[in-house]
Amino acid sequence: MITYNSENIKMPKIKRRMITQWIKSVAAQYGKKVGEVGYLFVDDEKILEVNNEYLGHDYYTDIITFDYDEDDIINGDIIISLDTVRTNALQQQASYEEELHRVIIHGILHLCGINDKGPGEREIMEAAENKALLALDTLMNAKH
């Protein structure tokens, strides 16, 4: 089950049923099933607090993924700062919605085993994000 909640910030306008379907299809491409995945949308102050408390980082990030996977079932908590997503969208000259979708799937890709910290991993992650975003576009256009 995938849950969507917010703290300290207004819940983003996302099509939950469609996003859930998309997440499950992306996970399936990596041979994974979705177990319990919880999204928490927060502001910059809250993500900084989580970064400090759990990771020892004293900086803002757009996303933090806590991985509780069991075998081929992905489980985790994904915390997303909507403030940072908005800032990143401006910097990347992308729409807020597209950047939000990118970050939503970024956490799932981490749970599927894709990393982005080592040499060459960032490019692999970006390619996986782009492929997933194309699949979402297709899904959204099919619903119209």
Side-chain angles (χ1 to χ4, degrees):
M1 187 170 92
I2 301 172
T3 58
Y4 305 92
N5 294 290
S6 66
E7 185 177 318
N8 298 351
I9 203 159
K10 194 168 167 246
M11 187 73 183
K13 288 183 169 73
I14 54 173
K15 296 180 171 97
R16 294 182 194 198
R17 206 172 290 131
M18 187 180 297
I19 296 293
T20 297
Q21 182 185 343
W22 173 51
I23 288 168
K24 288 178 177 178
S25 73
V26 169
Q29 291 170 4
Y30 294 92
K32 307 284 186 183
K33 283 191 169 73
V34 174
E36 298 287 328
V37 174
Y39 281 93
L40 181 62
F41 299 100
V42 300
D43 61 5
D44 270 351
E45 293 316 306
K46 181 65 181 177
I47 206 139
L48 183 61
E49 186 184 306
V50 174
N51 261 315
N52 278 321
E53 187 174 337
Y54 294 97
L55 303 174
H57 298 162
D58 191 24
Y59 51 82
Y60 301 103
T61 53
D62 52 358
I63 183 170
I64 300 172
T65 305
F66 293 100
D67 186 338
Y68 316 125
D69 289 359
E70 297 170 23
D71 301 321
D72 291 337
I73 299 173
I74 62 172
N75 297 288
D77 288 319
I78 299 172
I79 304 170
I80 295 174
S81 169
L82 296 179
D83 292 339
T84 302
V85 166
R86 192 167 282 111
T87 302
N88 289 350
L90 289 170
Q91 289 175 347
Q92 305 292 327
Q93 296 176 333
S95 73
Y96 170 73
E97 185 179 55
E98 182 184 345
E99 188 62 20
L100 179 59
H101 289 151
R102 180 179 297 280
V103 176
I104 285 171
I105 209 63
H106 182 91
I108 295 298
L109 293 168
H110 272 309
L111 295 178
C112 289
I114 298 174
N115 295 313
D116 59 358
K117 299 283 186 250
E121 289 180 341
R122 181 81 219 130
E123 293 78 5
I124 292 167
M125 175 62 85
E126 282 181 21
E129 289 170 356
N130 290 337
K131 180 180 172 194
L133 287 168
L134 279 174
L136 178 61
D137 285 344
T138 303
L139 188 64
M140 290 173 101
N141 290 331
K143 300 282 181 190
H144 286 127

